[in-house]
Amino acid sequence: MKDYLVHDEWSIIEEGFHREHNKISESVFSIGNGRMGQRANFEEQFSGETLQGSYLAGIYYPDKTRVGWWKNGYPEYFAKVLNAPNWIGINIELDGETLDLANCEVEDFRRELNMKDGYLKRTFIATLVSGKKVKIASKRFCSLAEDEIGAIRYSITPLNFSGTLTITPYIDGDVVNEDSNYDEKFWVSINQKVKRRQGYVITETKKTGFQVCTGMKFAIFQNGEEIDFNSFRQQKEKYVGCSVDIACEEEQETTLYKYAANVTSFNHDKEVLFKLCKDKVKAAFKTGFDALLEAHANTWHNKWEEADIKIEGDVAAQQGIRFNIFQLYQTYTGEDERLNIGPKGFTGEKYGGSTYWDTEAYCFPFYLSTADQKVARNLLVYRHKHLQKAIENAAKLGFKDGAALYPMVTMNGEECHNEWEITFEEIHRNGAIAFAIYDYVRYTGEKEYLSEYGLEVLIGIARFWAQRVHFSERAGKYMMHGVTGPNEYENNVNNNWYTNYIARWCLQYTIEAIDYVEQNTPEQYKNLEERIKFYKHTETNEWKAIINNMYLPEDEKLGIYVQHDGFLDKELLTVNDLKPEDRPINQNWSWDRILRSIFIKQADVLQGLYFFEDHFDKETIRKNFDFYEPRTVHESSLSPCVHVIQASLLGKEEKAYEMYLRTARLDLDDYNNDTEDGCHITSMAGTWMSFVKGFGGMRVYNDTLQFAPFIPKQWNSYAFKIRFRNYYLEVIADKNQATIANHSDTPITLKVYDKTHTIPGNGNVSVEHKY
């Protein structure tokens, strides 16, 4: 755990240059706009520890799988969102001496990520080896209003000398991915052009053939006035730059404004990329830095107006939740149904930037409640578009008759994860996708989605479960062997309770969805039945047999559901038995030792109790929580949020607050010692869930929105807003009461602490805390 960032309600601030944490800071201070994003690399040259990273949504490379022992069914590649051409580069020389913070004495260093307005700012004073002292101030952003535009303001002030300043803004497409399986470069050069104050690089990905045109145009000011200049134009394969020599006086500020555009063949025809990029750069240059920033900031203000969460009395907690919301909106805006949410977003290379089950299990509720309904719908449509690929994925593993296995990792619907215990065994991911459909219908009331898209996906998933189980003659039960549950510190286990339970639920929900669609849209149902060759009577009878006879491991003496067969035969230690030097165990123990231990990476049984909370009484949830949480090391970023929600339900306020800080500040404080690889974007949606569903107690049962708020003792008050169907609501809690404000024009009936209230349009109701 690191503690070097300043606590502030609206900004992430680093005071002093922490070289040893620079890659962590590059992740934390990342910026993006849903279309492109970038780690907080320095504009000027830096030869120290760094992970250079610029990323473009939808652009990927199928990196050939690298394994020691190939198994039938393995994906042939691992899809990776690529490190794209670097558009921020600005080399600085002072009388021929390069500015490089790795080789300078640095003072008054300050880096700030302003989340309210959405920009990255950095200031410092550097003393070069020659003794020359210079002050630098930079500010940059990826425009949320114009999502193919980025802009930089970079100022240089000599403090103890006059001389020649050489500024070289450039674009460099000769970049690498550190996680390349074979140390391969993924880009080839198509063309590059450079003029006096502008340059363009066109590159193409190998294999996938995506083209990117990255362009720049710049202006230079001194004493607040734009100056004329001549530039030395540099051009080589995948690189363009313009070097400008400028006479500078001591204490005289020189400012470079650099405007850049990234346009891709993912969004436009290849034939128009260069012209389009040039037009966008020209328009940005004409608009100017301040006007672009104002439009960008206003877009952020609108998002904060809808989705901000306010906490009074705890700056660390306030900073944490805003950072999580900020990074989520930087990663995914929901405007493009072809896109999804990678676990690292635009902050790093790990996990390939691809889509995981994290989207449905953790991210989906955030967008469902904070954005226009179409955003969550687009996330579901994304999976429907990949249904045929899911059927192909299942067929590669020997399944048939339209059975669908959605991938653990994907860019285009095709499975591309290359660890056997994940690819072949972590099949519970299918359940999360089905649950998201259910969650959408439950929350929005839009049952029509089942007829349009949902049912076809559900039937494909149900067919998979029906083929994946087997019947044990000895036990008289259906079982599933050789699986991996959400707890990835167990592999190749038999009868994971969560997997078995969600499979059984999927079958039941699919039958209910079939009945609804058949009764309400019979023509659509008949067309679907014929198109996918669905035999209702035969298939649903088989499903009902499985539903009625699914094996769910349970220990009646302990009163718990057993994570999987044999789990209770382990040495039943708790996390308190671990030594400090053991943590995190995934960085200090052998994999063999981890697999043999009792320790749990993330919620497994508890994940099921969270999804299906209304299926169980509170005492059952309590017994399972009290058994499993003390054995959970929370070494998955996805773990703490589920525990916050259940601890809140059970009245375990201290545990809920402890887990909330862990999820909210996971990257800010580098809890798991891995933030340098990138931020944990999908778990950030879990932070929102932990707040709204945990502290706010928000649920939807029987078409009725419900709240059961409580406030941690460390806070004075909190407030959050949600969208629910056609309503826009705000929940405000202080030490004494909770107030639900209806910011819509029509009345809404809901429950607070199990009591029904009707709130008039633009009215509110206040209720004393029950707990």
Side-chain angles (χ1 to χ4, degrees):
M1 183 173 168
K2 315 295 190 301
D3 186 23
Y4 72 98
L5 299 176
V6 177
H7 290 183
D8 183 274
E9 291 186 349
W10 274 110
S11 291
I12 311 301
I13 299 169
E14 177 185 5
E15 292 183 340
F17 184 29
H18 298 80
R19 299 171 191 266
E20 71 280 14
H21 299 325
N22 187 54
K23 290 172 76 173
I24 297 172
S25 293
E26 288 179 340
S27 297
V28 169
F29 289 83
S30 294
I31 56 174
N33 61 15
R35 186 68 66 187
M36 64 180 182
Q38 185 181 65
R39 289 172 61 83
N41 309 119
F42 299 155
E43 292 90 355
E44 71 277 355
Q45 181 176 317
F46 183 64
S47 58
E49 281 290 312
T50 183
L51 174 60
Q52 198 278 325
S54 296
Y55 309 101
L56 302 172
I59 306 300
Y60 71 96
Y61 177 81
D63 201 9
K64 183 175 169 56
T65 298
R66 187 168 190 168
V67 292
W69 180 23
W70 190 272
K71 298 176 178 64
N72 288 335
Y74 256 158
E76 295 183 0
Y77 66 90
F78 187 81
K80 294 176 178 176
V81 170
L82 299 185
N83 185 11
N86 174 19
W87 63 269
I88 67 167
I90 304 171
N91 284 340
I92 303 295
E93 293 182 11
L94 306 164
D95 288 332
E97 188 174 5
T98 299
L99 175 63
D100 180 347
L101 293 196
N103 302 318
C104 295
E105 179 184 323
V106 182
E107 53 189 307
D108 295 340
F109 182 96
R110 190 178 192 273
R111 178 161 28 187
E112 176 186 358
L113 181 64
N114 183 307
M115 299 181 289
K116 190 172 186 178
D117 294 337
Y119 63 77
L120 173 62
K121 181 180 179 180
R122 184 169 56 105
T123 57
F124 61 88
I125 294 173
T127 303
L128 282 66
V129 174
S130 65
K132 289 184 173 66
K133 185 173 287 192
V134 63
K135 181 171 70 174
I136 302 293
S138 71
K139 181 185 284 189
R140 74 175 187 251
F141 60 94
C142 295
S143 175
L144 207 59
E146 299 286 344
D147 63 12
E148 292 173 315
I149 296 296
I152 305 170
R153 183 173 67 202
Y154 193 95
S155 299
I156 311 104
T157 306
L159 297 181
N160 64 353
F161 70 98
S162 299
T164 300
L165 167 65
T166 303
I167 305 176
T168 306
Y170 65 87
I171 296 169
D172 185 8
D174 192 22
V175 294
V176 298
N177 271 53
E178 284 196 358
D179 66 350
S180 170
N181 285 342
Y182 296 90
D183 299 322
E184 181 182 8
K185 290 186 177 181
F186 300 139
W187 296 95
V188 296
S189 175
I190 298 299
N191 200 0
Q192 45 274 325
K193 299 177 184 289
V194 61
K195 294 185 177 181
R196 182 174 68 94
R197 63 163 76 227
Q198 58 187 301
Y200 303 87
V201 172
I202 304 175
T203 51
E204 183 174 274
T205 59
K206 297 178 180 178
K207 295 185 181 179
T208 46
F210 291 112
Q211 283 192 9
V212 173
C213 183
T214 303
M216 69 170 185
K217 189 172 184 179
F218 64 94
I220 300 174
F221 286 68
Q222 279 188 330
N223 302 321
E225 298 290 334
E226 184 173 2
I227 64 172
D228 196 13
F229 58 83
N230 291 314
S231 67
F232 175 72
R233 303 164 198 177
Q234 303 171 7
Q235 179 174 328
K236 57 183 179 180
E237 189 176 89
K238 294 183 280 190
Y239 177 95
V240 295
C242 300
S243 288
V244 181
D245 291 335
I246 303 169
C248 58
E249 302 294 328
E250 184 175 338
E251 298 291 345
Q252 181 185 47
E253 183 180 73
T254 302
T255 300
L256 171 79
Y257 290 93
K258 182 179 181 181
Y259 306 91
N262 283 296
V263 296
T264 76
S265 62
F266 184 76
N267 302 307
H268 310 284
D269 291 337
K270 292 180 181 180
E271 293 75 17
V272 303
L273 290 184
F274 174 68
K275 183 181 184 305
L276 186 60
C277 185
K278 189 175 180 179
D279 289 345
K280 286 183 173 291
V281 168
K282 181 180 179 180
F285 185 88
K286 182 178 180 180
T287 301
F289 186 89
D290 291 338
L292 286 170
L293 179 58
E294 182 180 10
H296 168 70
N298 286 339
T299 307
W300 267 113
H301 298 166
N302 291 337
K303 288 192 176 294
W304 286 120
E305 179 63 27
E306 290 193 346
D308 188 23
I309 291 179
K310 300 175 183 178
I311 301 171
E312 295 290 339
D314 190 337
V315 176
Q318 176 68 88
Q319 183 185 47
I321 189 63
R322 281 187 173 141
F323 177 68
N324 283 251
I325 294 170
F326 179 77
Q327 289 290 358
L328 283 164
Y329 276 125
Q330 288 201 132
T331 302
Y332 182 76
T333 63
E335 296 300 320
D336 191 335
E337 66 186 30
R338 300 171 301 168
L339 299 177
N340 210 280
I341 307 155
K344 295 294 183 184
F346 297 122
T347 71
E349 299 174 6
K350 195 172 182 181
Y351 304 122
S354 304
T355 303
Y356 284 63
W357 73 292
D358 306 19
T359 291
E360 286 76 21
Y362 300 93
C363 300
F364 189 75
F366 170 76
Y367 293 101
L368 188 59
S369 296
T370 64
D372 188 276
Q373 188 169 311
K374 71 176 184 180
V375 174
R377 202 175 200 273
N378 279 348
L379 288 172
L380 296 183
V381 171
Y382 175 90
R383 293 295 192 178
H384 180 267
K385 286 177 177 288
H386 290 174
L387 177 57
Q388 290 309 309
K389 288 287 188 182
I391 291 171
E392 292 172 17
N393 292 335
K396 290 176 183 178
L397 302 184
F399 297 90
K400 56 187 180 180
D401 298 330
L405 175 60
Y406 277 91
M408 188 67 182
V409 179
T410 193
M411 284 296 298
N412 62 2
E414 194 171 28
E415 177 65 77
C416 62
H417 198 289
N418 51 26
E419 296 175 15
W420 65 270
E421 67 274 16
I422 306 299
T423 305
F424 300 156
E425 297 191 343
E426 202 162 341
I427 54 177
H428 66 81
R429 61 201 189 240
N430 253 11
I433 291 164
F435 187 84
I437 295 172
Y438 164 77
D439 202 21
Y440 177 81
V441 172
R442 174 176 62 174
Y443 195 86
T444 66
E446 191 200 336
K447 290 186 177 181
E448 294 79 10
Y449 182 79
L450 293 172
S451 300
E452 190 174 356
Y453 296 116
L455 181 58
E456 185 176 6
V457 172
L458 290 171
I459 289 174
I461 290 172
R463 284 170 159 175
F464 172 82
W465 291 127
Q467 295 177 43
R468 184 58 173 81
V469 301
H470 70 274
F471 187 74
S472 167
E473 295 287 350
R474 183 185 65 82
K477 293 284 185 180
Y478 287 92
M479 297 183 172
M480 265 192 282
H481 286 186
V483 303
T484 296
N487 172 25
E488 293 171 337
Y489 287 175
E490 302 275 4
N491 301 149
N492 199 35
V493 301
N494 295 337
N495 295 310
N496 172 260
W497 181 86
Y498 171 74
T499 305
N500 285 18
Y501 195 91
I502 203 167
R504 186 182 74 168
W505 171 84
C506 282
L507 295 171
Q508 182 62 53
Y509 181 58
T510 303
I511 291 172
E512 294 171 9
I514 290 168
D515 291 341
Y516 172 83
V517 173
E518 186 177 21
Q519 291 171 18
N520 290 274
T521 54
E523 286 190 18
Q524 283 181 276
Y525 175 76
K526 184 178 180 182
N527 290 338
L528 176 64
E529 190 176 46
E530 292 176 355
R531 180 162 54 82
I532 67 173
K533 296 180 173 57
F534 178 62
Y535 305 103
K536 178 184 176 183
H537 181 75
T538 302
E539 294 192 52
T540 57
N541 280 348
E542 181 185 1
W543 299 352
K544 289 173 183 177
I546 296 168
I547 292 166
N548 293 331
N549 291 282
M550 179 70 86
Y551 173 62
L552 298 167
E554 183 177 2
D555 187 282
E556 293 183 359
K557 183 177 180 181
L558 293 174
I560 64 169
Y561 300 113
V562 181
Q563 185 173 282
H564 58 78
D565 289 351
F567 184 78
L568 295 181
D569 295 328
K570 294 173 178 266
E571 186 178 9
L572 299 180
L573 303 174
T574 68
V575 172
N576 289 336
D577 295 312
L578 291 170
K579 299 174 183 177
E581 56 267 29
D582 289 329
R583 306 291 303 277
I585 63 174
N586 64 13
Q587 296 175 24
N588 292 290
W589 283 12
S590 69
W591 193 243
D592 169 73
R593 187 179 181 187
I594 290 173
L595 291 175
R596 289 186 286 108
S597 79
I598 194 73
F599 298 113
I600 300 167
K601 182 182 180 185
Q602 69 188 79
D604 196 303
V605 169
L606 298 185
Q607 180 74 34
L609 297 181
Y610 154 65
F611 269 169
F612 304 108
E613 179 186 296
D614 55 324
H615 295 191
F616 306 97
D617 60 53
K618 190 176 288 189
E619 188 57 28
T620 297
I621 297 172
R622 183 184 307 278
K623 287 179 179 179
N624 281 275
F625 186 92
D626 289 345
F627 180 83
Y628 286 108
E629 196 284 326
R631 294 173 170 85
T632 302
V633 290
H634 302 293
E635 289 174 8
S636 165
S637 63
L638 302 171
S639 184
C641 62
V642 172
H643 292 82
V644 174
I645 295 167
Q646 293 187 334
S648 298
L649 174 73
L650 299 172
K652 297 176 181 287
E653 296 186 10
E654 286 299 320
K655 175 58 70 175
Y657 180 75
E658 171 200 338
M659 288 289 101
Y660 167 77
L661 278 188
R662 186 181 181 105
T663 184
R665 299 193 60 84
L666 182 79
D667 291 311
L668 294 176
D669 296 336
D670 194 22
Y671 268 88
N672 288 342
N673 200 33
D674 59 0
T675 302
E676 66 178 34
D677 297 326
C679 293
H680 299 80
I681 301 300
T682 48
S683 77
M684 291 177 175
T687 302
W688 180 91
M689 285 184 355
S690 70
F691 198 106
V692 173
K693 295 188 176 186
F695 303 139
M698 188 184 82
R699 306 287 192 275
V700 179
Y701 294 137
N702 300 319
D703 274 343
T704 302
L705 186 63
Q706 305 183 21
F707 295 99
F710 87 88
I711 184 167
K713 66 181 181 181
Q714 293 85 350
W715 302 350
N716 297 324
S717 66
Y718 67 73
F720 64 85
K721 297 175 181 177
I722 64 156
R723 296 185 183 202
F724 176 70
R725 302 187 180 180
N726 294 319
Y727 299 98
Y728 185 45
L729 307 172
E730 184 174 12
V731 177
I732 306 160
D734 60 23
K735 296 289 189 182
N736 302 310
Q737 65 181 15
T739 298
I740 316 298
N742 179 8
H743 295 307
S744 308
D745 293 331
T746 54
I748 182 173
T749 299
L750 47 72
K751 288 186 176 182
V752 184
Y753 303 126
D754 295 325
K755 184 177 179 181
T756 300
H757 299 268
T758 298
I759 308 175
N762 299 302
N764 62 73
V765 63
S766 296
V767 181
E768 290 187 3
H769 287 308
K770 181 177 179 181
Y771 306 114

